[in-house]
Amino acid sequence: MRPYELIKAKRDGKKLSPDDIAAFIDGYTKGSVPDYQMSAMLMAVFFRGLDDVELGAWARAMLFSGEVLDLSETPGIKVDKHSTGGVGDKVSLSLAPLAAACGVPVPMISGRGLGHTGGTLDKLESIPGFKVDLPVADYRRLVREVGACLIGQTSTLAPADKKLYALRDVTATVDCIPLIASSIMSKKLAEGIDALVLDVKVGSGAFMKRIEDARTLARTMIAIGREMGKKVTALLTDMDQPLGRTVGNALEVIEAVEMLRGKAPADYTEVTLALTAEMLVLGGKAKDAAEARAKLQRCIDDGSAEKKLRELVKAQGGDPSAIADLGKLPRARHTAPVAAPAGGFVTGIDSEGIGLAAMALGAGRERTDSVIDPAVGFVLEKKVGDAVQAGEPLVTVHYNDAAKLEAVKARVVAAYRIGGERPAPRPLVLERLE
Ligand code: URA
C-alpha cells in the first residue's frame, strides 16, 4: 500500500500489516516518506493505538533501521537498566559499577537530560575528562574488559528513533504509550543486551503521572522485549519527589559515590539496590533478590563497587582521583538557603517544579544548544514527611550566576507543599512486573 493509504487505514482504525509498517518506517528513515506523512501517521497512532502484532512490527522496524550490536564475544548474560526518567535519578551511576562488580556485564547507552528530567550522560561529563562519545569498538572492548561502559546514542543505532523522536517532539505525539515503548525498546535492544530491567517512574516528576499508565507502559515494553527473545522485568518506582537529596550533575555524582560507600539517603539506596538485584537475578549471578542483595552489600562493604567505578571512569578517559577525592569535582562558587515560608510537615515536593528550577539554574538545557553548568544544583535539606520550622532551609542552592538566584528560589518555594499533618510514607517500589 502507498503511504497515503496506510495513513488513511490507521486513521479509520484499521490494522496495518507488519510488512506495511516495515516499509513505512524504512521509507521514513531513508527519506522517501516525508515528515508530513509520518506526522499524520503518528497522530493516527496517537488516537487509534497499535495492537500487539502492529506494535511488535513497529518496534522491530525501528530496531532494524540501523545496526544491532552483537556482544557475544563478552561471556555472560549482558544486562542493562533503563529508566523512563526522573528528577535526581542518579541510579545508573551507582547501579552500573555495582552490577559489574558482581560479575554482570553492563552495556549501557544512555541519554541526556530531557525536559525537566536529568540525563546520565550530563552527570558523567561532570567528572573531569569523562568521555561519553566513544566509538562502538571501544564500547565493545570496555564491556568485555571492564564489565561496563556508558556511552551516548550513536548515529548508527536505531536511526529511525532519532528522526521520529524529533518529529514527535514538535507534533504533540510524545506522550503516547506505544510510541514511547517502541522508542525506548528499539534503542535498548540495539545495544547488544540479553536482558533488561526497566525502571518505570510514576508521579509528579515522571512522564507517567498515573500508576495505570506506568503499568501499561511497562507491560508494553516487556511484551516488545519478549517478542525479541529478551528477558525483561520492570519495577514501577515512586517519582512523586526527587530521588535522594541532590539534583544537579556533579552533586548527583557525589551522592552516587556516597551510595557505593553505604552513605547515601535511604530512598536512593533502596531503589538502586532493588533494580541492581533484578539485574543480578536476570544475569544469573543470584538465584533470587535476597541472595542478590547480600552480594551487592558485600561489594559495597569491601569497596569493590567503588573500585569498579574508578576503573570505569579511568577507562572512559576520566580522572579516577576525582572519585576517590570528591573535592576535585566541579563545585559552585556560592551556596544559599531557601527558607521555609511556614512551619509544619513537608507534605509534597513537585519534582517537575524542582527539575525545571534546576534547569533554570543551568543544570539542564533550556534549548538543545544550551551549555550545562556541571556544578550547580540543589541539596534537598527537607523531604516529604520531614518536620520543618518557618525560616529553616528547605533546600541549599549551589549557584554560580547570582542573577538567577531569586527566581530559582521562588520556584523552589512554589514546589514545596507544607501542611499541618505528617503524610503517610509511600512505598518506593510500587510494583514488580515480568
Ligand atoms: N524516552 C525515550 O527514549 N523515548 C520516548 O519516547 C520517551 C522517553
Side-chain angles (χ1 to χ4, degrees):
M1 276 206 264
R2 291 181 305 126
Y4 172 89
E5 291 168 281
L6 295 177
I7 297 165
K8 186 163 179 290
K10 186 43 62 187
R11 182 199 71 184
D12 294 342
K14 301 205 175 96
K15 307 269 172 253
L16 305 182
S17 76
D19 285 349
D20 281 337
I21 290 174
F24 195 84
I25 290 187
D26 186 52
Y28 179 62
T29 312
K30 294 187 173 136
S32 62
V33 172
D35 275 353
Y36 53 82
Q37 285 188 311
M38 183 52 97
S39 302
M41 176 62 94
L42 291 171
M43 194 54 85
V45 169
F46 184 94
F47 282 111
R48 294 294 189 174
L50 295 172
D51 74 11
D52 288 352
V53 176
E54 290 175 307
L55 181 63
W58 188 284
R60 205 172 311 108
M62 286 176 68
L63 170 64
F64 290 108
S65 67
E67 189 183 4
V68 179
L69 297 179
D70 173 0
L71 299 182
S72 54
E73 80 266 13
T74 298
I77 303 171
K78 273 97 24 209
V79 191
D80 188 13
K81 184 256 348 173
H82 179 81
S83 157
T84 54
V87 179
D89 180 2
K90 69 281 296 173
V91 167
S92 295
L93 305 179
S94 45
L95 165 143
L98 263 170
C102 290
V104 177
V106 186
M108 191 179 272
I109 294 185
S110 300
R112 298 208 174 264
L114 188 65
H116 64 280
T117 65
T120 301
L121 300 180
D122 297 326
K123 295 171 202 189
L124 287 168
E125 281 180 343
S126 68
I127 302 170
F130 197 99
K131 288 190 188 57
V132 297
D133 53 355
L134 298 180
V136 166
D138 288 356
Y139 166 79
R140 284 175 182 288
R141 183 175 56 77
L142 295 186
V143 172
R144 193 175 62 239
E145 292 176 3
V146 178
C149 186
L150 287 84
I151 60 167
Q153 172 96 38
T154 77
S155 56
T156 59
L157 299 181
D161 181 61
K162 194 163 192 237
K163 275 187 92 176
L164 272 172
Y165 198 90
L167 192 61
R168 286 168 57 212
D169 209 18
V170 292
T171 55
T173 50
V174 168
D175 50 342
C176 168
I177 286 177
L179 297 180
I180 296 176
S182 51
S183 160
I184 291 174
M185 293 305 285
S186 63
K187 283 181 289 220
K188 289 283 125 179
L189 296 173
E191 69 188 11
I193 52 168
D194 301 306
L196 179 66
V197 177
L198 294 166
D199 179 9
V200 181
K201 301 277 183 207
V202 193
S204 66
F207 288 112
M208 297 291 119
K209 312 279 183 219
R210 300 176 333 135
I211 190 151
E212 298 78 13
D213 296 334
R215 202 179 282 134
T216 307
L217 176 60
R219 288 204 179 113
T220 309
M221 290 193 284
I222 290 171
I224 294 173
R226 191 170 300 141
E227 247 251 336
M228 310 278 179
K230 310 290 175 191
K231 290 191 277 183
V232 184
T233 62
L235 299 184
L236 309 190
T237 68
D238 183 55
M239 188 33 72
D240 232 8
Q241 63 173 328
L243 191 63
R245 296 245 171 212
T246 59
V247 178
N249 298 291
L251 290 170
E252 293 191 45
V253 170
I254 293 173
E255 198 168 39
V257 175
E258 283 168 353
M259 200 249 124
L260 299 179
R261 294 175 182 165
K263 292 186 187 139
D267 61 341
Y268 163 45
T269 302
E270 174 53 27
V271 170
T272 304
L273 291 178
L275 289 161
T276 321
E278 290 285 327
M279 292 175 75
L280 261 56
V281 174
L282 285 177
K285 298 293 174 192
K287 65 175 185 313
D288 56 24
E291 187 183 312
R293 291 281 193 133
K295 281 197 169 182
L296 292 170
Q297 197 56 51
R298 276 202 295 280
C299 286
I300 292 172
D301 295 343
D302 68 9
S304 53
E306 189 189 331
K307 183 162 168 266
K308 184 56 76 180
L309 176 63
R310 287 200 300 271
E311 209 185 315
L312 174 73
V313 165
K314 183 160 186 257
Q316 293 200 220
D319 176 3
S321 75
I323 301 300
D325 174 4
L326 295 169
K328 290 189 176 174
L329 289 171
R331 207 161 264 249
R333 285 190 296 280
H334 315 286
T335 60
V338 179
F345 293 96
V346 178
T347 56
I349 304 174
D350 169 17
S351 316
E352 186 167 351
I354 295 288
L356 290 173
M359 190 201 274
L361 196 61
R365 286 179 195 80
E366 307 250 9
R367 299 172 1 172
T368 46
D369 58 353
S370 306
V371 177
I372 281 188
D373 183 341
V376 301
F378 304 131
V379 175
L380 278 61
E381 310 293 351
K382 299 286 176 189
K383 293 206 52 182
V384 173
D386 287 347
V388 58
Q389 294 183 0
E392 249 195 299
L394 292 172
V395 163
T396 302
V397 182
H398 291 235
Y399 67 101
N400 282 324
D401 182 354
K404 293 179 175 162
L405 184 63
E406 287 314 313
V408 165
K409 281 166 89 171
R411 279 175 183 260
V412 170
V413 170
Y416 268 75
R417 286 186 296 281
I418 296 173
E421 275 182 43
R422 192 191 291 272
R426 281 167 59 93
L428 286 165
V429 178
L430 305 164
E431 261 173 53
R432 177 180 184 279
L433 291 97
E434 62 178 4

